[in-house]
Amino acid sequence: MLRRLATGLVVLWAAATAAYLALLAAPGDTVDSIIGEGADTPLIRSQIIREWNLDRPALVQYLDYLWRAAQGDLGRSYLLQRPVRDVIADQIGPTLTLAVTAAGLGIVLALVLAVTTRRPWARRVSSTTELVLVSTPSFLIGIVLLSVFSFSLGWFPVSGDQGVAALVLPAVTLALPVAGVLTQVLRDGLDRALDEPFVVTARARGLGERAVLVRHALRHALLPVITLIGWLFGVLLGGAVIIETVFGRPGLGQVTLQAVTSEDLPVVLAVVVFSAFVYVVINTLADLAYLVIDPRLRRS
Amino acid sequence: MTIALDRPLSLRLRRPSGGGVAAAAGFLVLALVAAATPSLFAGDPLAADPLHVLEAPSAAHWFGTDQLGRDVFDRVVHGARHSLLIGVVATGIAVSIGLLLGLLAGLSHKYADEALSRSFDALSAFPLLLLALLFVAVAGPGTVGLVIAIGIATMPNYARVVRTQTLVVRQAGYVTQAVAFGDSRPRLVFRHVLPNVLGPVPVLAVIGLGEAILAAAGLSFLGMGPQPPSPEWGAMLSEGRGYLSVAWWTTVLPGVVVTLTVISLTVVGRRLQRRFEGRLG
Amino acid sequence: MRRRSLLIAAVATALVAGCSGSGGTDSAAAGEPVSGGALTWAVETEPITLNPHQYAQAKARLLVWNNFESLLTHDDKGGYVPWLASGYEASADGLTYTVKLRTGVTFSDGTVFDAAAVKANIDQLLADGYAPAVAAVQLKNLKSVEVVDASTIKYNLTTPDVLILDFLSSPQGAIVSPKSLKEAKNLKAGGTDLAGTGPFVLDRYTPGQELHYKRNPSYRDRPAYLDEVTYRFLKESSVRVGALTSGQVQVIEGVPATDQAQITGNPALTLSKGLNSGSAYSYYFNVTHAPFDDIRVRQAFRDALDVDTVLQGVYRGTATRAWSVIGPTSPLYDKTLEGTYGGDAARANATLDAAGWNNKDADGYRVKDGKRLTVRLVQSAPFVRDRREILAQAVQAAVKQSAGIDLRVSVVDQGTAAAALEKGEYEVFDNSRADTDAGAALNLLLASNGAINRLGVQDKAIDGLLEKGQAAQEAAERVDVYKRLQQKVIADDSLILPLYAPADQIASSKKVGGLQFEPTAGVPGSAYTVWLSK
Amino acid sequence: MSELLVSVRDLHVTFPHRGGDVHAVRGIDLDIHRGECLAIVGESGSGKSVTARTLVGLAGPNAQVRSSRFEIDGRPGPFDWPKLRGGFVGLVMQDALVSLDPLRTVGAEISEVLKVHDIGDRKDRPARVRALLTAVHVPEPERRAAHRPHQLSGGLRQRALIASAIAAKPPLLIADEPTTALDVTVQAQILDLLAERRSTGETLLLISHDLAVVARLADRVLVMRDGQVVESGPTSSLLAAPEHPYTRQLLAAVPSAASRGRRLSAPAEPLAAAPASASAEVVVEAVGLRKRYGAHTVVDGVDLTVRRGEIVGLVGESGSGKTTVAQLLFGLTAPTSGTVAFEGAPWTGLKERRRRSRRRRLQLISQDPLSGFDPRWTVRRIVEEALPSVPAAELLERVGLGADVLDRYPRQLSGGQRQRVAIARALAPRPSLIICDEPVSALDVSVQAQVLDLLADIRAADGTALLFISHDLGVVHHLADRVLVMRDGAVVESGPVDDVFHHPQHEYTRALIDAVPTLEVSR
């Protein structure tokens, strides 16, 4: 566990440093970014440099950043003039709600589909649908859902983060491709598990097909799904940027996009570090989940 | 789908793809021909016609016209070159770097392997999109930034597969046997390890190409891709979005083409994968 | 010695000047004003700051006047009327402005509004690192501020500058409770803890989602009709229109040309437009290097483009063509420029032939000395609006077809754009400014040391005209100076290609009454005059 | 005649396949009487397992089953399979590690049978599970019930598997290769357990490739080959006087003490005489070999000498460290302490670079030859790689393979062919020592016979020394000159095979030999 913690810290540090270097190498200097489209005179520039301590060497700024970050101070947004921690904290709720709902929806959908579509024709229909879903740009899915269910039919609000109804379409959009992939993985896992000798034994005990599937095979099929948790996190967070744009939802995705395009360095760094942090946490959880599901891995 | 890889490359799916393989292969050939010689099939993708903007699909304009009166079908056909090229080059970057680092990790001693593997992990700690955004911030939006971004961001997937495969091959009986014949280390690597590691890579690359095209479309959608008036598919989708309520065809039709391309690549890739595994299994 | 008469503000219209005057929308259906109700208004842009001193987005202007007020405001003829002031007086030498303040006004946090409060605001604006752009531009000629008595304040200038009045009526000049200036948690970001004197009080801000204002019950005049108003941030125009047509919001601003038919075709909705103040959306030619260092190429570029056709294609007849760098609604606008240039492909080609660009390459572009006639336009993605990237593509196609000019358009992130501009790696710079006084915009754009002088022009004649314009206290004199300036940069030197006059659109349910555009600025006004019929 | 539990006539099982249907069972007749033990014996692909599974309706999802009569418990179909399975027929398969759900406790697995067949209620099931585990002699049943298969030893989990099969007290128990994956001593215990079940009146259908196992338990034997029954009859008479040539060949092919000095594939012919003598030069000599992984000592002080022309057997159960010894000798792993000298010169402690020139003198044949071939290479390339100067066909001829396999890929060959290619390759550089690590364990008896004969021929012709590692005492007794018995990393006994196997000194050796089921047959 200690080792895992250390590895996690190293990943965090590497992520922050890489992002720092990348942004240092980006075109345009920080002062330009802060000025944006506004007026640009030497007086203004010197004030900005003084305000943000930009006259220090890059290394000093970097070390200062690390030192503050270690203490939980992620700095202040150049653009929004607020502490980055507040910016992130304000926006994390909607993104988290979206991601968790979509993940839950995707997983449930995948479970139901993988278990129910065992007959050849159902399987064919389902796998074709999955293939289409995972091959379609998610923004296209979103746009089509939005046009049909919101603009034309008016069943769901157009956008924003106003209650449960507004969550339906974005969550579905994000969940569909996830469900597509997970169904494929689960079905594949079920197929493999059903080929195992213990399934023959289970059937030879008089167990019905459904019981074999749910009580024995499903648990084995879940193992490869757990290895996908890290991937799932990437899809959800990455997908959130696009989904939030399409549906006009607030959230981390919007913050990220805005921060990157306007080179709001402190926010970008915070998003990177945050993302790495969540990744480390989620992977640790995945490892633990592995131990719960597969006791063979519990050693010493 | 989204911008992260639609599935990890190491995932092997065993379902037969049925008769769709022929259709998929046919579509890919069509796309390739379009990419090679777009002018044979379509007119000037940049020819604006302010008097005929946002016209619905018709015999004259199969896919309708866009906000500048350009023929959407012409743009889609010409876009094949941009989009496929972006996908191919990005995948090429990812595969070559991934191959190199994966081999290096797989063949190195414990600590070097650990360090490399951790750095793949660190790279994977970011959603592809965030990574791509960062790279675009550095290299600037546009085709070059986009290609490098997707290339670097998808690299760890290949590196991991190659590393695992290298470890498997290293432990394989035939490598031990080759040692028994006194083969030197470089000889081992070049005669046995490398060829057997390389085997599955082209197949993965075909499937990965679909992912790269999707990722490129997503980034273009956010305005990080090729600049106007380039008829790149993602950029077309992004531009068309503003006119969705009045001209669905500027968004939906190029989108359908993207989907068909990715599906075709996946179907063909999986078929190749099955054949490949059948040959070795 | 000439004296400006002390203007006494007495009429009610002046009190609500911030929101009254020109551009009242069609609110006949909403009947007589009624009190009460909650309005939801979808806006395109989430302000990056809620502190009026930090104001930098024209799209955020409609929010500012809900809870803040400034000393003066504009009338619809380009003049100034008192708001928090009761009158003002300029000295004959133009170096001193004395402003009498209203009495009996309090901020929503209970603090009393007086001369000390005004001075506290100026002091804050000049504080190091607080508002560098305001200090360096709008207040650059301010020498000192004196509190004469509780209701009188005096601005001393280093050099005559009529634009100080523009400052006094600008969002940056809005008066914030000095108490909250001291106590605010994130002063530069603003928020619910900044108190103003306006008809509403900001009581909730959900970043990324919405701003919520409630009526200020102790407003010094007629209270606002609405109990509360919510501004929701919906970036996508299609989403805004969808939200309006499906009844989820009652008002939206920012309706692109292609979506306008959906509004006008719906009997329950109404659409109105207001032309913005400031500078027109124009292409500025970089004269520091080839090819636009040659006036013939600049003329040819303008001739090669049929602006009307392009605008028709992109904006479907909803855009107003601009003929000058100054917007057509400004009193400084020179109408005589209309129809004097452009839209003549034959002349463009002849001019380019004469200028030595007489060969064409395989792609149909003009070439001179082996170099293609390529000009670059770099747009910064975060600031692209009004489908200007589409417009650029239309211009691109047009100048290629008519004259073989290769216009390269790139939409890039802010850093890349800044770097390109810094290094001079552009030939075309596009910009529009929403300053209420067009003179302020021109100072930045055309002066040799102007902060946004992307023309790269260094012309004493231009600088001289700008200085005269800034000092001229008589309206007629100012108009004359700026006419000469426009003739110089548009007609004589062909430095600028004006394209269209930026406009704002408001679409609303017919149940909403009293929606207005702000005089002079031309942007949607605050919610003070708005009511919701039952 | 007593009551018929199962009666089948003219049973055909076909698996449709794109390249032509696979006709796995071709018209067999089968009767199982209450209280008897019937055995079906056959090599892989004979259709014995398919037959057994057909009896519980689990031949496979695509299997097409035809028969003129198919009666279970005196009734023809259609059957209520869920009820019959576990309730009337219990099934025990090979290797409980994979035949029990690895993610569930064995208690849950056993309890599941009770639940499915509605035996007892929720509360008393744990007690019933304990009773069942006790019945199959699992010590500490309470604790073991909470364990998962991987936490149990091979013997215990096989017992647990049997407990789950008999939980619903089915009259018929089908045991499909129940002891194949087990060490001999454990195998003996499981066979004892099955014998005990039989003696309590349970009916047993035993499926096995091993005649010796069958001999111990069965009343009647069916010998199957290519989906057909070639011979059947009471065990004693069938083993004593086999009528069908195939049965006879099968019996003759079993290596044992009795087969020593004789060709297994042609019983009439003697093997070429062994040239080994105690004075022949030493090819490999290991002194005090020790290998430790962390706190775990895998090889603990092994001394070993192999002389030119000698076959030295190394026997032991799984985990005894014999394969590690092979790796240490081969030089892929460095010993923690101890030394190996090869052909009189130091071998351990050298850099691989310095060993390289002598590498070709020491070859390796493993249990799984397929993994030892580069999958991209044809047989020709594989063999030519080993000795480019000699045509591959010539080398293959020596191991009894024709030129027709030259352009095939290894995976297109049968198991026996693969092992021959592996031998041809190992022989090519004329090594002085070949380390054979379980070279015949994966092969059927008749193929094993051919490969063992081949190895004996090679030793006789070239004087190549063999270190022959095996868990099968019969194989070692048949082939080797000397034998070392390993247990827990150490050699407990060594000496000439006949001395060790006929007069074992160490109690472990004795236990080992006692546990081996033997065929008492006259030839």
Side-chain angles (χ1 to χ4, degrees), chain A residues 135-188:
Chain A
S135 303
T136 307
S138 63
F139 53 90
L140 192 62
I141 298 180
I143 285 170
V144 170
L145 289 181
L146 191 64
S147 304
V148 174
F149 292 103
S150 195
F151 293 163
S152 300
L153 299 175
W155 292 358
F156 298 104
V158 168
S159 78
D161 184 25
Q162 315 279 320
V164 178
L167 188 61
V168 174
L169 288 183
V172 167
T173 308
L174 198 51
L176 282 180
V178 167
V181 174
L182 293 186
T183 311
Q184 289 179 335
V185 176
L186 268 176
R187 182 178 293 124
D188 187 55

Side-chain angles (χ1 to χ4, degrees), chain D residues 343-361:
Chain D
E343 293 183 324
W347 182 249
T348 44
L350 294 182
K351 285 234 184 269
E352 182 61 28
R353 190 186 302 279
R354 305 218 12 228
R355 277 201 289 247
R356 217 164 264 156
S357 58
R358 295 157 63 202
R359 269 281 178 210
R360 298 170 69 84
R361 307 278 301 150

Side-chain angles (χ1 to χ4, degrees), chain D residues 280-295:
Chain D
E281 65 196 271
V282 171
V283 177
V284 73
E285 179 167 28
V287 181
L289 277 188
R290 203 175 298 268
K291 181 67 185 178
R292 205 175 288 137
Y293 290 107

Side-chain angles (χ1 to χ4, degrees), chain A residues 15-79:
Chain A
T17 305
Y20 201 95
L21 287 176
L23 287 164
L24 216 58
D29 70 16
T30 313
V31 182
D32 287 327
S33 307
I34 296 172
I35 287 176
E37 214 192 22
D40 180 3
T41 67
L43 179 65
I44 296 174
R45 293 188 84 89
S46 68
Q47 285 214 18
I48 288 174
I49 288 172
R50 237 177 307 140
E51 182 189 357
W52 297 96
N53 288 321
L54 296 172
D55 47 355
R56 297 172 303 169
L59 184 69
V60 176
Q61 291 188 46
Y62 164 71
L63 291 176
D64 183 53
Y65 176 78
L66 278 190
W67 175 242
R68 286 162 183 272
Q71 295 166 320
D73 175 8
L74 293 167
R76 208 150 52 94
S77 160
Y78 291 156
L79 186 68

Side-chain angles (χ1 to χ4, degrees), chain B residues 172-187 190-193 195-196 199 274 278-281, chain D residues 330 332 352 356 359-360 362-366 370-377 381 385-386 409 411 425-426 429:
Chain B
Y174 50 86
V175 172
T176 314
Q177 287 292 347
V179 170
F181 286 101
D183 281 6
S184 65
R185 198 177 154 79
R187 192 175 153 91
F190 282 102
R191 285 181 71 81
H192 291 286
V193 179
N196 280 297
R274 280 162 53 76
R279 193 157 68 77
L280 296 183
Chain D
F330 190 64
L332 280 186
E352 182 61 28
R356 217 164 264 156
R359 269 281 178 210
R360 298 170 69 84
L362 175 61
Q363 291 296 310
L364 182 73
I365 297 173
S366 64
L370 190 58
S371 72
F373 302 133
D374 193 318
R376 298 167 304 118
W377 288 7
R381 189 162 175 204
E385 183 79 359
Y409 288 92
R411 74 199 146 75
R425 174 173 63 179

Side-chain angles (χ1 to χ4, degrees), chain B residues 54-65 71-72 246-250 253:
Chain B
L54 299 176
E55 285 184 0
S58 64
H61 303 288
W62 292 357
F63 283 13
T65 63
D71 185 286
V72 175
V246 284
W248 56 270
W249 52 90
T250 56
L253 294 182

Side-chain angles (χ1 to χ4, degrees), chain D residues 313-360:
Chain D
L314 187 59
V315 297
E317 296 186 298
S318 48
S320 61
K322 50 191 198 301
T323 294
T324 310
V325 169
Q327 285 172 353
L328 293 174
L329 293 179
F330 190 64
L332 280 186
T333 319
T336 309
S337 67
T339 58
V340 177
F342 178 56
E343 293 183 324
W347 182 249
T348 44
L350 294 182
K351 285 234 184 269
E352 182 61 28
R353 190 186 302 279
R354 305 218 12 228
R355 277 201 289 247
R356 217 164 264 156
S357 58
R358 295 157 63 202
R359 269 281 178 210
R360 298 170 69 84

Side-chain angles (χ1 to χ4, degrees), chain B residues 31-280:
Chain B
L32 278 176
V33 173
T37 56
S39 308
L40 276 187
F41 305 89
D44 184 357
L46 305 181
D49 181 356
L51 299 179
H52 298 95
V53 298
L54 299 176
E55 285 184 0
S58 64
H61 303 288
W62 292 357
F63 283 13
T65 63
D66 72 0
Q67 65 280 0
L68 293 176
R70 297 173 298 199
D71 185 286
V72 175
F73 181 75
D74 289 348
R75 289 178 67 72
V76 167
V77 171
H78 282 267
R81 174 176 286 183
H82 290 78
S83 292
L84 290 184
L85 202 64
I86 287 173
V88 168
V89 177
T91 309
I93 291 175
V95 168
S96 36
I97 299 180
L99 195 62
L100 206 70
L101 293 184
L103 265 177
L104 211 61
L107 293 173
S108 304
H109 288 289
K110 203 178 145 201
Y111 294 109
D113 178 20
E114 182 78 359
L116 279 168
S117 300
R118 289 295 141 244
S119 59
F120 302 152
D121 282 357
L123 262 184
S124 321
F126 307 107
L128 194 160
L129 187 100
L130 184 55
L131 252 184
L133 282 176
L134 273 179
F135 275 100
V136 167
V138 177
T143 314
V144 175
L146 184 75
V147 163
I148 295 178
I150 297 174
I152 300 289
T154 51
M155 183 276 287
N157 296 293
Y158 298 96
R160 280 223 192 82
V161 171
V162 168
R163 174 180 170 271
T164 314
Q165 181 78 5
T166 308
L167 289 179
V168 168
V169 172
R170 256 180 87 175
Q171 311 281 322
Y174 50 86
V175 172
T176 314
Q177 287 292 347
V179 170
F181 286 101
D183 281 6
S184 65
R185 198 177 154 79
R187 192 175 153 91
L188 274 180
V189 170
F190 282 102
R191 285 181 71 81
H192 291 286
V193 179
L194 205 54
N196 280 297
V197 168
L198 283 177
V201 169
V203 178
L204 287 184
V206 170
I207 299 176
L209 179 57
E211 317 302 342
I213 289 176
L214 270 188
L219 283 169
S220 291
F221 175 77
L222 294 174
M224 307 284 159
Q227 297 305 302
S230 162
E232 197 269 337
W233 292 341
M236 292 179 66
L237 285 169
S238 177
E239 282 181 42
R241 182 172 51 131
Y243 304 93
L244 191 72
S245 48
V246 284
W248 56 270
W249 52 90
T250 56
T251 314
V252 174
L253 294 182
V256 168
V257 174
V258 172
T259 305
L260 282 180
T261 308
V262 177
I263 289 180
S264 302
L265 283 168
T266 313
V267 167
V268 170
R270 280 189 200 165
R271 167 49 64 93
L272 291 176
Q273 194 171 31
R274 280 162 53 76
R275 272 192 57 176
F276 186 81
E277 283 172 0
R279 193 157 68 77
L280 296 183

